[in-house]
Amino acid sequence: MTIPDFQSIMLPLLNLFADEQEHSLREIIDSLSETFALSEEERAQLLPSGKQSMFNNRVSWAKTHLTKAGLLKTTKRGYFQITQQGLKVWKEHPPKINNKFLQQFPKFIEFKQNNNSDLNSLDVDDDNKFTTPEEELESAFQKLNQTLASDLIEQIKSGSPRFFEMLVVDLLVKMGYGGTRKDAGQVIGRSGDEGVDGLINEDRLGLDVIYIQAKRWQNPVGRPEIQKFTGALEGFRAKKGIFITSSSFTNDAQEYVERIDKKVILIDGDKLAQLMIEYNVGVSPVVSYEIKKVDLDYFMEE
């Protein structure tokens, strides 16, 4: 079963409170995961940021909506209970509870008015909105990053081979290899106008080195090129290598590196762009948003 959206969670969540007892959010999450028969993998699935469980986030937002509508109430830190209004709703056995259903409650209308400038558009669209605010924000963030990555690849392909060499070394230094930019990379040979071979220290002390081949290509890199690279590694008695391209790798090339003894990492244009974004190489921040939540420990009385 796929992970349910937060509106689909509302009614099963209210059902768990029908015993009129206090329940913790952790207890509710565990119970709902059984209700929806979620696997361990589904429960472990994270939001794109990798910071929070997707299911936990959706349960939390379902709980928030029911609380804002006055169907649940907070009793103490991390614990909740059904209200008389919530019990009344439960006894009516509604077929489903969603944002449209909750709009009959003045507290929920007030909550939505405080969070949306146009409630009329909300009446039409909000019932079809199944993602939580965090998911919407992260989805927008991912789309912006995809566009940025595409722009980076275009810039890389239009640059010179010498610039690509510098870019590769800058990125590896930012990732923690090689120590300083000055002594990080060493060019040991060239393979034509479209690439550069070199090596970089794996650590600041130079206890081990990693051999690099960078190819600023338009076409996919195939297995023959990877075999040439691994052959060169053998000549240097090297066991580790990184092959970076501005294009992509064929399936044969990827399968080949999985079968050989040497540790060879393939970084295609998409991965290269994502690493550049992650380590701030060739990009600059425009704006940042800091998402905060209530610190329950602060409100805990001695």
Side-chain angles (χ1 to χ4, degrees):
M1 180 177 182
T2 58
I3 300 174
D5 62 81
F6 80 99
Q7 294 196 67
S8 299
I9 292 173
M10 291 182 186
L11 180 56
L13 192 156
L14 188 67
N15 289 339
L16 293 175
F17 282 95
D19 59 5
E20 301 183 58
Q21 302 299 310
E22 293 180 335
H23 297 284
S24 68
L25 183 59
R26 171 49 55 192
E27 178 187 349
I28 291 302
I29 288 173
D30 291 339
S31 296
L32 286 172
S33 67
E34 295 179 3
T35 299
F36 289 104
L38 297 182
S39 66
E40 289 297 323
E41 291 75 14
E42 288 168 332
R43 287 202 61 180
Q45 185 174 335
L46 300 177
L47 294 172
S49 64
K51 302 293 185 181
Q52 186 180 11
S53 159
M54 180 177 290
F55 181 64
N56 291 10
N57 175 260
R58 292 180 178 180
V59 172
S60 180
W61 274 103
K63 182 269 299 177
T64 294
H65 280 62
L66 294 181
T67 302
K68 295 300 182 181
L71 307 188
L72 297 178
K73 64 181 179 180
T74 302
T75 54
K76 57 185 178 183
R77 186 172 73 96
Y79 281 80
F80 308 90
Q81 190 175 27
I82 197 168
T83 63
Q84 288 303 309
Q85 181 66 65
L87 196 60
K88 178 182 177 182
V89 168
W90 177 78
K91 289 180 178 179
E92 292 172 353
H93 303 293
K96 66 178 180 178
I97 296 178
N98 53 25
N99 285 346
K100 185 175 182 179
F101 178 90
L102 296 179
Q103 287 177 25
Q104 65 183 286
F105 304 108
K107 289 183 177 180
F108 186 75
I109 293 294
E110 181 181 357
F111 163 63
K112 284 299 184 180
Q113 284 177 330
N114 290 337
N115 289 274
N116 295 273
S117 58
D118 187 358
L119 191 61
N120 291 327
S121 65
L122 177 71
D123 292 339
V124 176
D125 300 330
D126 208 40
D127 189 36
N128 296 319
K129 186 180 292 184
F130 303 115
T131 54
T132 67
E134 284 91 345
E135 290 176 282
E136 292 174 21
L137 182 60
E138 293 195 12
S139 176
F141 177 76
Q142 292 296 324
K143 289 178 181 178
L144 288 171
N145 263 7
Q146 289 170 4
T147 301
L148 176 58
S150 178
D151 292 342
L152 282 172
I153 294 173
E154 287 186 14
Q155 292 293 327
I156 291 170
K157 289 183 176 180
S158 65
S160 66
R162 173 62 182 169
F163 178 80
F164 193 39
E165 170 192 345
M166 180 190 71
L167 184 155
V168 167
V169 174
D170 282 345
L171 175 60
L172 293 174
V173 170
K174 282 290 188 73
M175 294 176 66
Y177 296 99
T180 65
R181 176 66 178 83
K182 182 178 179 181
D183 58 8
Q186 175 186 344
V187 177
I188 58 176
R190 298 185 182 275
S191 55
D193 294 335
E194 293 297 319
V196 56
D197 295 326
L199 60 86
I200 192 167
N201 292 331
E202 186 174 11
D203 53 75
R204 296 180 67 90
L205 298 178
L207 296 176
D208 201 358
V209 295
I210 299 175
Y211 286 79
I212 308 163
Q213 185 161 103
K215 285 195 175 294
R216 188 179 58 85
W217 276 15
Q218 300 291 335
N219 298 322
V221 177
R223 174 173 171 171
E225 291 296 326
I226 305 301
Q227 286 179 312
K228 291 178 185 177
F229 179 54
T230 56
L233 293 181
E234 188 67 32
F236 288 105
R237 297 183 179 179
K239 296 182 179 180
K240 301 176 183 178
I242 302 176
F243 197 115
I244 303 176
T245 182
S246 56
S247 58
S248 60
F249 295 97
T250 64
N251 291 334
D252 283 346
Q254 297 178 46
E255 292 172 359
Y256 174 73
V257 298
E258 292 176 359
R259 296 197 303 266
I260 61 177
D261 294 332
K262 298 184 186 302
K263 185 66 174 179
V264 175
I265 302 297
L266 303 182
I267 299 178
D268 62 15
D270 290 336
K271 179 64 174 177
L272 175 62
Q274 292 300 330
L275 288 172
M276 290 174 66
I277 294 171
E278 181 179 352
Y279 290 95
N280 289 318
V281 176
V283 298
S284 58
V286 176
V287 64
S288 62
Y289 299 92
E290 186 176 24
I291 300 176
K292 300 181 180 181
K293 65 179 181 179
V294 174
D295 183 357
L296 296 177
D297 290 334
Y298 175 84
F299 294 95
M300 186 174 182
E301 300 183 13
E302 298 293 337

